[in-house]
Amino acid sequence: MQWMASEDVFVFSNEVDVAAVTPTKRGILRCVMSQFDPLGLLSHFLIHGRVIIQDIWRTKAGWDDTVDESILERWQLWATKFKQLRAIQIPRAYFPSATATDIEDLQLHIFVDGSETAYACVAYFRAVIQGNFHCALVGGKTKVAPLKALSIPRLELQAALIGCRLMKTLYNSHSLPISRRVFWTDSKTVLSWINSDHRRYRQFVACRIGEILSKSNAQEWRYVPSKINVADDGTKWGSGPNLQSDSRWFKGPEFLRKAEVFWPHQVEPEQVEEEIRQCNVHLVAERSEVIDWHRFSKFERLR
C-alpha cells in the first residue's frame, strides 16, 4: 500500500509475479500474504485468496505438493484478478473537494453479510455537501468461515458482530462529528434476534446479540436486499470481485447518494424459532397402591 503524494491517492503495488508462482501451499500462501492492506480497502478481494488457502489446508497437502485440480482452477482465476490491483486508486481524503466545515451532515453506514465460506463488513461515510449526497469508503473487515461448519444465520450473526466492532474502531479513530449510524443486513433472522429478548436463545446467539446491543441500538439496524448489499462482494465469488475504481465497493451503493425516501424499505422483524433455548420440564406422577396389602394377614390370600 503506497501513497502518491502528488495525486493524494492510495495505490497498491506488488512485486510478486503471479504467473511464476508455483501452485503449491507455500507459493500460494506467499502470494496471498504479500499484500499489505491494514484498512481493509481490498478485503473483498483478498478474502477469496484466504478461502483458497483454507481449502488447501483441508486437503492436508504438503508445503511443496501441487494443489488439487479444483483448487488450481480457482487459484488461476483469482490470480488473473491479482494483476488489476495496480490500477486501483483510492483518494486519501474522504471528500477531496470539500472541507470539514462544508459537511452539513455526516452519517456512518455499515453493511454486513455472511456465507458458507466467509463473512464480511464494510463501512462508508455519507455526507451532505452543498445539498448533494456524497459517499466514501472508510474501511472493511473480512474473515474466513471456521473449519467447523456453522449455519448461515450464525455466520450472518458473526458478520453483524464484526460490523459493530468496526464501527467502534472508526468512532475512536475519527474526530469528525457523526450524526447518525446505520447498520445494513440482508438476514431477517439476525434482525429478529436483535429485536427480541436475547436471553431466550442459546448461548452462542445470546452472547453475540448481547455484545451487538451494547455497541448499537436495535433501531439502527435495517434490512437491505442481497442484490444491493455491498458486503456481498466479500462473501460470494460469482464472476469475481470488481476491482475497478468506480465499482460499488469503492464508491458505495447507489442508494446512499440519494435521499432517504429512496432507501430500501424497512421490514418488520419476524419471530423465528431458530436457536431458541430449550426449556426442560420435569413431571412427577404419584399413584396410589392398587391393593391395600395391610388388609391381608396371609401372603397366600394376598396373592
Side-chain angles (χ1 to χ4, degrees):
M1 183 177 180
Q2 298 176 344
W3 172 44
M4 295 180 61
S6 57
E7 301 179 17
D8 198 18
V9 294
F10 289 128
V11 296
F12 295 87
S13 63
N14 61 81
E15 300 177 356
V16 179
D17 186 3
V18 182
V21 172
T22 306
T24 61
K25 181 164 68 173
R26 189 188 307 276
I28 294 177
L29 181 63
R30 174 175 174 265
C31 181
V32 174
M33 302 308 295
S34 66
Q35 201 66 45
F36 181 65
D37 182 31
L39 302 180
L41 303 177
L42 298 180
S43 57
H44 70 306
F45 169 71
L46 298 178
I47 185 60
H48 297 293
R50 296 190 180 102
V51 170
I52 293 176
I53 293 176
Q54 186 186 63
D55 292 340
I56 296 176
W57 278 95
R58 280 197 177 99
T59 63
K60 299 181 180 180
W63 282 101
D64 298 308
D65 297 339
T66 304
V67 298
D68 294 345
E69 191 67 27
S70 59
I71 298 178
L72 179 60
E73 182 179 352
R74 292 166 51 202
W75 158 250
Q76 292 173 343
L77 180 61
W78 187 82
T80 58
K81 296 281 186 179
F82 201 86
K83 303 176 183 178
Q84 303 177 16
L85 299 182
R86 298 179 182 178
I88 297 176
Q89 293 186 353
I90 302 175
R92 180 192 59 84
Y94 295 126
F95 310 104
S97 59
T99 62
T101 56
D102 295 332
I103 300 177
E104 303 172 14
D105 180 59
L106 185 67
Q107 300 177 0
L108 177 62
H109 292 256
I110 297 179
F111 294 79
V112 302
D113 185 60
S115 68
E116 294 180 352
T117 57
Y119 50 97
C121 66
V122 58
Y124 298 91
F125 275 143
R126 177 183 183 268
V128 180
I129 303 174
Q130 296 179 356
N132 297 321
F133 301 101
H134 298 265
C135 188
L137 173 65
V138 182
K141 182 72 175 178
T142 55
K143 286 191 176 184
V144 178
L147 289 173
K148 183 180 179 181
L150 293 178
S151 64
I152 296 298
R154 284 193 172 192
L155 290 169
E156 296 273 10
L157 179 61
Q158 290 283 78
L161 180 60
I162 65 172
C164 285
R165 292 173 178 173
L166 177 63
M167 178 274 302
K168 184 177 179 180
T169 301
L170 296 177
Y171 254 85
N172 295 335
S173 19
H174 288 83
S175 58
L176 297 172
I178 301 175
S179 62
R180 182 184 179 186
R181 56 190 187 185
V182 183
F183 298 87
W184 298 90
T185 178
D186 55 12
S187 174
K188 296 181 180 179
T189 302
V190 172
L191 289 176
S192 175
W193 287 341
I194 293 176
N195 286 274
S196 304
D197 184 4
H198 61 278
R199 293 170 295 182
R200 300 173 52 228
Y201 301 104
R202 295 175 184 172
Q203 189 173 11
F204 183 95
V205 175
C207 293
R208 285 158 178 80
I209 292 296
E211 182 176 348
I212 289 173
L213 293 178
S214 67
K215 295 179 171 64
S216 64
N217 299 322
Q219 295 77 15
E220 296 175 329
W221 286 86
R222 294 176 63 107
Y223 174 78
V224 58
S226 296
K227 291 184 178 180
I228 57 177
N229 187 3
V230 191
D232 254 24
D233 294 350
T235 58
K236 301 177 181 62
W237 176 263
S239 59
N242 188 350
L243 297 178
Q244 300 296 325
S245 297
D246 58 349
S247 66
R248 69 174 187 174
W249 176 271
F250 297 114
K251 294 297 183 181
E254 185 66 27
F255 69 85
L256 283 186
R257 290 187 287 274
K258 299 179 181 178
E260 188 171 350
V261 293
F262 298 102
W263 292 3
H265 296 292
Q266 184 72 296
V267 297
E268 290 296 330
E270 302 175 356
Q271 294 294 329
V272 296
E273 300 299 327
E274 193 168 359
E275 298 290 344
I276 292 290
R277 181 179 297 177
Q278 294 181 350
C279 180
N280 297 321
V281 180
H282 300 272
L283 298 178
V284 178
E286 295 183 358
R287 61 180 184 181
S288 58
E289 298 176 355
V290 179
I291 300 176
D292 186 5
W293 56 272
H294 291 93
R295 297 176 55 191
F296 299 88
S297 60
K298 296 183 178 180
F299 178 73
E300 291 78 5
R301 293 184 61 187
L302 171 62
R303 186 177 58 184

